Amino acid sequence: NKQTSNQLLLKAFILEELGRGDQSIEIFDKLTKTAKTKAEKARLFTKKGFVAMKLGHHDMAIKAFEQSLAIMPNAEAMQALATAQGLNGNWPKAIETYKLLLSTLDSDAEKARARMQLGTAYMKEGRSSEAIAELSKALTSGYLSAEDQESTLQNLGFLYYDSKQYP
């Protein structure tokens, strides 16, 4: 019933906060099987993915985000999937996912952040010119936070230095 479902969800979050993420994941598995709606099931897979990612279980996180997206595509799960793919060292796949994410976003601020992350993924993959292009677009958008601007400027500095390009 609904009460039990809410109690289990709360228990999953508490267990995760207490550092017992594996037990939290077991509860998310149980909840996804009994979810009443597609939206609820997709949300639960996304939450499971975040817990798995926090625990360093990147393959499990990727699978959970993919399951969420298969049910109900959304920017949060797509963003998280790209992050998990990168953490797992699969930068080509992360690049592909960030590009797809960019094509779905409406907000300029969200696009700027996605461009920054795409640029960083290109950088990790050794594709300097694409990294410079995406990071520059993100920076000139005017929508990055101060922290993201600093990170983007550092990455651009490294890229320009490594490629002996000085704007």
Side-chain angles (χ1 to χ4, degrees):
N1 65 27
K2 189 73 172 152
Q3 183 72 25
T4 307
S5 179
N6 285 337
Q7 288 171 338
L8 276 175
L9 187 59
L10 183 59
K11 183 177 179 181
F13 287 130
I14 291 169
L15 286 168
E16 194 248 332
E17 284 299 313
L18 293 173
R20 293 163 58 191
D22 289 327
Q23 288 175 292
S24 176
I25 286 172
E26 288 174 18
I27 293 173
F28 281 115
D29 285 339
K30 192 180 297 184
L31 287 169
T32 55
K33 289 179 182 129
T34 60
K36 301 280 187 267
T37 66
K38 284 184 175 187
E40 181 185 0
K41 191 172 199 156
R43 248 189 332 277
L44 289 165
F45 276 124
T46 299
K47 289 179 190 328
K48 175 187 174 181
F50 281 121
V51 172
M53 196 160 54
K54 189 174 177 182
L55 292 171
H57 301 327
H58 300 132
D59 287 330
M60 181 189 295
I62 289 167
K63 184 177 180 192
F65 295 132
E66 287 173 341
Q67 287 171 306
S68 174
L69 289 165
I71 297 167
M72 186 170 287
N74 66 82
E76 179 187 31
M78 200 177 298
Q79 168 88 41
L81 173 61
T83 300
Q85 290 165 331
L87 289 170
N88 211 27
N90 192 343
W91 292 108
K93 199 76 177 150
I95 288 168
E96 192 180 300
T97 305
Y98 281 126
K99 284 175 157 181
L100 183 60
L101 173 65
L102 257 174
S103 73
T104 66
L105 296 174
D106 295 323
S107 153
D108 289 335
E110 289 175 336
K111 284 181 184 177
R113 184 143 174 73
R115 284 194 185 287
M116 180 194 77
Q117 292 165 322
L118 175 58
T120 303
Y122 277 132
M123 190 172 113
K124 298 280 188 183
E125 188 60 16
R127 294 167 61 179
S128 296
S129 58
E130 288 120 315
I132 289 170
E134 290 301 333
L135 291 170
S136 296
K137 286 178 196 170
L139 192 60
T140 58
S141 73
Y143 287 101
L144 291 179
S145 68
E147 185 182 328
D148 286 344
Q149 283 179 26
E150 184 179 333
S151 169
T152 300
L153 284 167
Q154 284 177 346
N155 284 339
L156 280 168
F158 290 130
L159 287 162
Y160 283 129
Y161 180 79
D162 283 348
S163 64
K164 310 273 187 278
Q165 294 179 40
Y166 307 104

